[in-house]
Amino acid sequence: MSDLINTVLGLYNYWIVIFLMMCGFYIVVAHDNLIKKLVGLNIFQASVFVLYITFGKVSGGTAPILGEAFHVYSNPLPHVLILTAIVVGVATTALGLALVVRINEAYGTIEDDEIHSQDDEP
Amino acid sequence: MALTAYAVARLHNLYAVVMLAGIYSLLAAVMFVVLDAVDVAFTEAAVGAGISTVLALGTLALTKSREKTPRHTRILPLAVCGITGAALVYGTLDLEHYGDPSAAPHHHVGPEYLARSIPDTGVPNVVTSVLASYRGYDTLGETTVIFTAGVGVVLLLGSWRRKEDDDA
Amino acid sequence: MHNFLVLRVIAKLLLPFILLFALYVQFHGDYGPGGGFQAGVIFAAGFILYALVWGVENAELVLPRGLLRFCFAAGVMLYAGVGLYDILAGGMYLDYSVMAQDSVKGQHLGILLVELGVGITVSTVMVTIFYTFAGYRR
C-alpha cells in the first residue's frame, strides 16, 4: 500500500504534465480557429518546459547559483535548455500570429475549414 | 494550471482564451520557482504573461475575436488524446521519482558543470556559464532563430508592403 | 489614450525601475539569476508598456524602427564576432579563454559580451515585433 502511495506521489508531477500536454494537443487537433490552435501549441509547449524542469529537480537542492552555504543544487542543464526555448518559443509564436494576420487578410477568415472550402471552390 | 488549460479548451471567446493563457504562463512561472529554476521563472513571467499576451491581443484586434462552433464531432480527437495520454502515463511508470538524486540526468554532465564553473569561468551562476560558455554554440543558434523570426515578422507585416500597395 | 491619468502616472513611475532592473539583470547575470535572455524580455516588456500608454508614434521617437533593425542584427554580429575574435586570437571558435591574459578573466569577459549580444537581439526583436503588429494597417 505504501508502495502505491510512493509511486503516485513520485509520478504525480509527470501526470499533471501529461494532462496539460493532452489539453494542448486536443485544442490543436479539435479546434478550427487558428489563434486557438496557437494557444493550444503554447500550452503544449509550456507542459514540455515543466517536464524538463521536473527532470532537473533534486530533493533538498537549491537553485544552481553556487554559494558557500549550499551543497546540493538542482541540475542546471535543463534550466539552460528551457530558458532559451521559452524565448525562441515566443519569437516563433509571433511569427505564427503574423501568418494568421496575413491569412485573415487573404481569406477573410481564420477558421481552418472555411479556408479549405475556399481553396476547393475555384 | 490544469483548470486553466481545461477552461481554454472549453471557451469560445478568444479574448478570454488569451487572458487565460497569460494566467497559465504565470502559474507555470510559479511552478518553476518551486522547482528551483529561478532563471527560467524570470523569463516565463516576462515572456508568457507580458509579451505574448500583448502580441496575441494585437492579433485579435487585427482579426476576429470569436471562434465559431465547429460543425464536426469531437469524439475522435478526444479518443486520440485519451489513448496517447494513457500510453504516456504507462511510460512514466518506469521513470525515476520526482526529486530523486540518483536519477539518470544527474549523473551525466550536470555535476561536471556544477563542479567546474568556478575554476573555469569564475561565474557562480551555473545557468549563465553553461548558457554562454559550455553550450555557446547552442545559444548562438538560438539567437539566430530569434533574429530570423524577427526578420520574418517584419517581412510579413512590415511597412514596406504597405508602400508597395500604395504604389499599385 | 488621453484620459487615463492613473495609468499614465503609474506607468511613468514604474518605467525607470523596469528599465533599470533590466540592466541590473543583464550585467548581474553572472552572480544572481539573470542574463541576456531575461534582461532582453524585461527591457522589451518595459518598452512595450511605454508604447501601450503613450502610443506607438511617441515610442518610435525614442527608439526608431531603423535603429531597432540595425540593433537586432548587431546583437547577433556581436555574438558571432566574439567567436571570430577568439579564432584570430589563436583559440577555437567561442573559446573565450584566449580573450585575456588569464583564462578565467577571458571566460568572464566572453560571457559578458555574449550575453550583451543576446540581450540586444532579444529586446530589439521583441520591440520590433510589437511595433510591426501595432503599426499594421493604420
Side-chain angles (χ1 to χ4, degrees):
Chain A
M1 187 62 201
S2 72
D3 248 19
L4 182 72
I5 293 174
N6 235 335
T7 313
V8 170
L9 283 181
L11 299 177
Y12 175 73
N13 241 22
Y14 300 124
W15 293 347
I16 288 287
V17 167
I18 290 171
F19 177 76
L20 295 176
M21 214 180 261
M22 286 307 114
C23 271
F25 188 37
Y26 174 76
I27 295 172
V28 174
V29 176
H31 288 260
D32 286 326
N33 188 294
L34 292 175
I35 292 184
K36 193 90 173 255
K37 275 182 198 278
L38 277 174
V39 172
L41 266 182
N42 267 342
I43 287 177
F44 195 110
Q45 203 180 20
S47 79
V48 177
F49 298 162
V50 176
L51 179 70
Y52 264 66
I53 300 297
T54 308
F55 283 141
K57 169 79 180 168
V58 177
S59 306
T62 173
I65 296 168
L66 302 175
E68 296 290 312
F70 309 107
H71 297 288
V72 185
Y73 300 100
S74 288
N75 195 338
L77 189 56
H79 297 187
V80 175
L81 300 178
I82 296 312
L83 178 59
T84 49
I86 290 177
V87 182
V88 169
V90 75
T92 46
T93 306
L95 192 62
L97 289 172
L99 278 173
V100 170
V101 171
R102 297 288 298 158
I103 288 172
N104 181 51
E105 206 164 76
Y107 289 90
T109 176
I110 48 170
E111 304 284 331
D112 202 16
D113 49 349
E114 288 175 17
I115 293 171
H116 279 301
S117 60
Q118 281 189 30
D119 273 346
D120 292 340
E121 267 167 23
Chain B
M1 253 178 113
L3 274 181
T4 25
Y6 178 72
V8 168
R10 298 293 304 173
L11 277 174
H12 286 286
N13 186 334
L14 289 175
Y15 277 110
V17 166
V18 168
M19 293 322 280
L20 275 173
I23 294 172
Y24 174 83
S25 289
L26 208 57
L27 288 175
V30 173
M31 196 151 175
F32 292 146
V33 175
V34 174
L35 294 173
D36 291 341
V38 278
D39 289 83
V40 182
F42 235 131
T43 324
E44 177 75 39
V47 164
I51 294 175
S52 67
T53 311
V54 169
L55 288 180
L57 286 177
T59 318
L60 286 184
L62 292 170
T63 56
K64 302 177 178 61
S65 66
R66 272 203 78 80
E67 180 192 21
K68 301 204 174 99
T69 325
R71 285 163 300 171
H72 47 76
T73 148
R74 288 183 167 176
I75 294 172
L76 184 63
L78 204 61
V80 170
C81 291
I83 293 168
T84 322
L88 286 174
V89 168
Y90 178 70
T92 59
L93 293 180
D94 283 340
L95 279 176
E96 284 94 351
H97 287 188
Y98 166 76
D100 185 356
S102 64
H106 307 314
H107 292 285
H108 199 46
V109 289
E112 196 81 344
Y113 288 146
L114 285 169
R116 285 173 48 185
S117 178
I118 290 273
D120 275 0
T121 65
V123 171
N125 185 358
V126 185
V127 173
T128 303
S129 69
V130 174
L131 180 92
S133 187
Y134 296 113
R135 301 189 74 88
Y137 279 124
D138 278 19
T139 313
L140 177 60
E142 267 140 8
T143 317
T144 317
V145 171
I146 295 167
F147 170 75
T148 316
V151 172
V153 171
V154 171
L155 289 180
L156 276 170
L157 301 180
S159 49
W160 62 274
R161 281 199 71 88
R162 245 180 319 173
K163 277 179 206 139
E164 214 168 65
D165 291 351
D166 290 345
D167 292 343
Chain C
M1 270 298 169
H2 293 286
N3 300 322
F4 300 112
L5 184 66
V6 177
L7 212 66
R8 300 183 79 136
V9 170
I10 296 293
K12 209 162 209 167
L13 274 177
L14 281 178
L15 247 173
F17 292 106
I18 295 178
L19 298 185
L20 195 65
F21 183 61
L23 290 178
Y24 165 78
V25 167
Q26 170 83 52
F27 293 109
H28 204 258
D30 304 357
Y31 302 102
F37 284 97
Q38 295 94 320
V41 288
I42 292 172
F43 188 86
F47 206 81
I48 288 174
L49 172 70
Y50 179 85
L52 280 175
V53 175
W54 279 276
V56 179
E57 295 80 10
N58 286 324
E60 272 179 31
L61 293 177
V62 184
L63 275 183
R65 281 166 199 250
L67 180 71
L68 284 177
R69 282 180 203 172
F70 173 74
C71 279
F72 75 60
V76 182
M77 290 296 288
L78 179 59
Y79 199 136
V82 168
L84 279 181
Y85 176 82
D86 292 336
I87 293 184
L88 292 179
M92 287 198 267
Y93 192 66
L94 291 179
D95 173 17
Y96 315 128
S97 308
V98 293
M99 290 185 76
Q101 298 296 322
D102 171 11
S103 87
V104 173
K105 276 208 183 107
Q107 286 281 348
H108 216 125
L109 180 67
I111 290 177
L112 204 69
L113 282 177
V114 160
E115 291 274 13
L116 187 64
V118 172
I120 292 174
T121 308
V122 170
S123 59
T124 49
V125 166
M126 294 297 159
V127 176
T128 310
I129 290 174
F130 174 73
Y131 275 1
T132 330
F133 270 90
Y136 189 61
R137 291 284 140 172
R138 272 201 321 181

